């Protein structure tokens, strides 16, 4: 996993003051990193256009053009004339070695966006909007310098400086960043970066259930009780994913007799040997509060999803220990309102996902949150993780039910709530990535089938 930061200006300042690395030295390392990426992926004489703004992001781009000249057919397009001290200096250097300017954007092999970086928080004027629209329309391999400008440039790869930035992992940014690579600024990341309570998860962080004890039986691997409600199909999918992910036993719990797969059990009450609960998936309005209280009359670890998150009963569930909740954006907005943390729209949430995840975790530090989305946020107390590995193929009914089953399975097997959330979320993403069919064709059954191939 990798550290994540709100801003890196303070990290740069530390380099100046503690490591005696000047702004110029950091910029040369940043530009050298971009040049090395291009040299490793594109042959000499490839046509490259670097689109530069007037500030230090533009200065990075100007320095890149100088480093690639004359091995590449490189030219600078000034979206804005240099104005910062470093941009003016880099422009002087580039001109001195003969880097050419172009007055018009045109087809090329590589297009580099170096208009604005993380320090920009204003609005683009009409001229810059037109420039970015034209850049997006060009056929070229597109590279963003530090970040895609204003998250309007659609990059194939973002070469970011020094450390990962949180803004890159907002859901709306996923359309623009492409693959993200962190460039060295003259010191290793372990030196450059300071403490952060935010992390980005790598697929390699996944730790699967491991059956190493030979003297074991089905009871050794937990018993998950899945509350089955009005739409029983959702709870059955959760139960099947839990069984496939390692639970020794899985029981559906409800009042109606339903047809279930032979590998599952059915009961009207929570089994006495249950080790975890899962509820909310397809719950509907079937249960009264009294009936649900009966199922919750225990201290078992619990994963709550879907319908239960919008009911007043959730306030009692949030008081329990070892709880995981798995809302999507609309459900989380409802939950924020019920808990009186915030009364906001889905649109407001999506622009401030980090903020509201932190506010919820401050109010309920013992609860583990999995906030679903293009970039999943996993939070507990003051620990925050982002899983950016999900794909659009997961945007289908039932995918979330499978995730809840994965979480419940790990809770039943003895994982604590945060570890269960992290590993279930990573496994869920990896299941989709491993699917070999067309992305639009992925179903919950496919996800469950893929579990055995993790």
């Amino acid at each position: 996993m990798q550290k994540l930061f709100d801003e890196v200006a303070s990290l740069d300042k530390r380099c100046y003051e503690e490591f005696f690395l000047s702004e110029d030295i950091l910029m040369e390392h940043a530009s050298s990193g971009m040049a090395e990426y291009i040299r490793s992926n594109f042959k000499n004489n490839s046509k490259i256009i670097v689109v530069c703004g007037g500030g230090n992001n533009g200065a990075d781009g100007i320095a890149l053009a100088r480093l690639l000249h004359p091995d590449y057919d490189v030219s600078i397009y000034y979206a804005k004339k240099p104005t910062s001290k470093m941009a003016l200096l880099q422009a002087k250097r580039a001109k001195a070695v003969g880097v050419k300017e172009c007055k018009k954007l045109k087809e090329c092999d590589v297009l580099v966006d170096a208009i604005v970086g993380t320090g920009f928080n204003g609005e683009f004027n009409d001229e810059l909007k037109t420039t970015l629209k034209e850049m997006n329309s060009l056929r070229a391999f597109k590279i963003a310098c530090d970040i895609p400008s204003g998250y309007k440039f659609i990059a194939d790869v973002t070469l970011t400086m020094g450390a990962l930035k949180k803004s890159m992992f907002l859901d709306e940014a996923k359309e623009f960043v492409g693959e993200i690579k962190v460039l060295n600024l003259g010191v290793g990341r372990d030196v450059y970066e300071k403490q952060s309570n935010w992390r980005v998860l790598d697929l390699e962080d996944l730790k699967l259930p491991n059956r190493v004890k030979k003297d074991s039986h089905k009871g050794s691997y937990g018993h998950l009780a899945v509350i089955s409600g009005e739409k029983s199909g959702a709870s059955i999918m959760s139960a099947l994913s839990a069984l496939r992910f390692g639970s020794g036993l899985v029981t559906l719990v409800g009042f109606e007799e339903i047809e279930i797969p032979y590998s599952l059990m059915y009961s009207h009450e929570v089994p006495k040997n249950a080790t975890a609960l899962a509820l909310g998936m397809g719950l509907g309005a079937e249960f009264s509060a009294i009936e649900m209280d009966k199922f919750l009359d225990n201290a078992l670890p619990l994963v709550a999803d879907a319908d239960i998150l919008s009911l007043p009963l959730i306030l009692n569930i949030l008081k329990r220990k070892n709880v995981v909740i798995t809302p999507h954006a609309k459900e989380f907005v409802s939950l924020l309102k019920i808990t009186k943390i915030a009364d906001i729209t889905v649109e407001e949430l999506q622009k401030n996902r980090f903020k509201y995840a932190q506010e919820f975790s401050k109010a309920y530090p013992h609860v583990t949150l999995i906030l679903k989305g293009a970039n999943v946020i996993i939070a507990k107390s003051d620990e925050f993780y982002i899983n950016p590995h999900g794909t659009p193929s997961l945007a289908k009914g039932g995918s979330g039910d499978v995730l809840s089953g994965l979480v419940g399975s790990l809770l039943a097997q003895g994982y604590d709530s945060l570890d269960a959330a992290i590993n279930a979320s990573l496994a869920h993403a990896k299941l989709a990535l491993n699917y070999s069919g067309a992305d639009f064709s992925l179903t919950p059954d496919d996800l469950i089938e893929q579990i055995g191939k993790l």
Side-chain angles (χ1 to χ4, degrees):
M1 59 186 70
Q2 305 173 69
K3 293 178 182 178
L4 193 61
F5 297 90
D6 284 308
E7 51 78 30
V8 295
S10 61
L11 305 184
D12 288 348
K13 184 179 180 183
R14 186 161 155 259
C15 286
Y16 309 149
E17 296 176 351
E18 295 184 27
F19 309 138
F20 311 105
L21 297 171
S22 68
E23 184 178 28
D24 199 355
I25 290 174
L26 264 60
M27 186 168 288
E28 288 299 317
H29 278 285
S31 302
S32 293
M34 289 192 291
E36 181 180 346
Y37 176 86
I38 290 173
R39 291 184 187 279
S40 298
N41 290 280
F42 298 92
K43 61 186 179 181
N44 280 12
N45 299 317
S46 296
K47 188 175 182 61
I48 300 172
I49 297 177
V50 186
V51 184
C52 298
N56 282 3
N57 191 255
D60 288 335
I62 299 167
L64 169 64
R66 168 174 52 81
L67 292 171
L68 295 175
H69 175 80
D71 298 328
Y72 291 84
D73 180 9
V74 60
S75 56
I76 298 171
Y77 178 89
Y78 284 107
K80 294 186 73 175
K81 288 297 181 183
T83 54
S84 74
K85 179 181 176 181
M86 288 305 303
L88 290 167
L89 176 60
Q90 294 291 4
K92 186 184 295 185
R93 290 171 177 171
K95 186 175 181 180
V97 301
V99 179
K100 61 187 178 183
E101 294 182 33
C102 62
K103 301 298 183 183
K104 186 177 181 182
L105 292 172
K106 46 194 171 184
E107 297 296 330
C108 54
D109 299 305
V110 181
L111 181 67
V112 180
D113 162 33
I115 299 177
V116 294
T118 54
F120 178 80
N121 55 13
E123 293 288 333
F124 288 130
N125 59 31
D126 290 341
E127 185 178 355
L128 280 177
K129 288 179 182 177
T130 299
T131 298
L132 283 162
K133 184 176 181 180
E134 188 176 354
M135 290 166 66
N136 286 331
S137 70
L138 289 174
R139 290 184 180 179
F141 185 87
K142 298 182 174 73
I143 298 173
C145 171
D146 198 30
I147 65 166
S149 290
Y151 294 106
K152 302 297 182 184
F153 177 71
I154 304 172
D156 293 299
V157 63
T158 295
L159 302 178
T160 198
M161 312 310 176
L164 293 172
K165 290 85 177 174
K166 282 169 67 175
S167 62
M168 294 174 168
F169 296 95
L170 283 168
D171 279 10
E172 62 184 16
K174 196 157 187 172
E175 299 288 344
F176 302 96
V177 295
E179 183 182 5
I180 300 172
K181 292 184 176 292
V182 179
L183 302 181
N184 185 294
L185 292 179
V187 291
R189 286 178 69 180
D190 286 346
V191 176
Y192 177 79
E193 296 176 344
K194 58 184 180 181
Q195 180 57 36
S196 173
N197 58 351
W198 282 83
R199 298 284 192 278
V200 174
L201 296 169
D202 299 318
L203 287 174
E204 293 73 21
D205 294 319
L206 172 61
K207 295 178 182 176
L208 294 170
N210 193 1
R211 296 193 171 193
V212 295
K213 186 179 179 182
K214 294 181 180 179
D215 181 18
S216 61
H217 52 83
K218 58 180 179 269
S220 304
Y221 302 103
H223 187 169
L224 178 66
V226 181
I227 307 303
S228 181
E230 184 178 355
K231 300 173 183 176
S232 59
S235 57
I236 289 173
M237 286 188 289
S238 291
L240 287 172
S241 69
L243 190 66
R244 185 62 67 92
F245 205 42
S247 288
L249 295 164
V250 179
T251 296
L252 288 164
V253 180
F255 293 118
E256 298 295 327
E257 294 295 341
I258 57 174
E259 290 189 13
I260 63 172
Y262 296 133
S263 55
L264 302 177
M265 299 182 292
Y266 194 87
S267 174
H268 296 311
E269 57 186 28
V270 176
K272 292 182 180 179
N273 63 343
T275 55
L277 291 176
L279 74 158
M281 302 74 66
L283 186 66
E286 182 173 330
F287 294 115
S288 69
I290 295 175
E291 291 168 338
M292 187 57 72
D293 282 342
K294 176 184 176 183
F295 292 144
L296 294 173
D297 186 20
N298 52 65
L300 294 173
L302 179 153
V303 56
D305 184 28
D307 296 340
I308 198 73
L309 300 174
S310 302
L311 299 176
L313 180 63
I314 191 62
L315 293 173
N316 292 332
I317 291 173
L318 293 176
K319 296 175 183 177
R320 297 168 69 105
K321 295 180 180 179
N322 220 8
V323 171
V324 180
I325 60 171
T326 64
H328 56 53
K330 186 176 179 181
E331 290 164 347
F332 193 51
V333 164
S334 176
L335 184 61
L336 290 174
K337 186 174 182 178
I338 290 173
T339 55
K340 298 182 180 180
I341 294 172
D343 187 359
I344 57 172
T345 64
V346 171
E347 290 73 19
E348 289 174 290
L349 170 66
Q350 290 300 86
K351 291 178 181 178
N352 298 280
R353 284 167 63 84
F354 307 136
K355 171 187 173 181
Y356 288 110
Q358 287 175 310
E359 290 192 7
F360 178 86
S361 293
K362 183 178 180 180
Y364 295 93
H366 58 287
V367 175
T368 298
L369 166 69
I370 301 178
L371 178 55
K372 293 180 286 197
N375 291 305
V376 177
I377 297 174
I378 302 166
K380 183 180 182 183
S381 184
D382 59 353
E383 294 184 71
F384 301 89
Y385 301 85
I386 293 178
N387 176 3
H389 304 292
T391 74
S393 61
L394 288 168
K396 188 169 288 187
S399 292
D401 301 316
V402 172
L403 173 62
S404 296
L406 299 176
V407 175
S409 180
L410 295 181
L411 289 174
Q413 292 175 69
Y415 284 58
D416 68 36
S417 61
L418 184 57
D419 282 342
I422 289 172
N423 287 290
S425 180
L426 285 172
H428 193 239
K430 197 167 183 179
L431 292 173
L433 290 169
N434 289 350
Y435 179 64
S436 59
D439 57 1
F440 59 81
S441 69
L442 181 68
T443 69
D445 292 331
D446 294 321
L447 291 172
I448 295 168
E449 180 65 27
Q450 290 285 328
I451 293 172
K453 302 174 184 177
L454 283 172

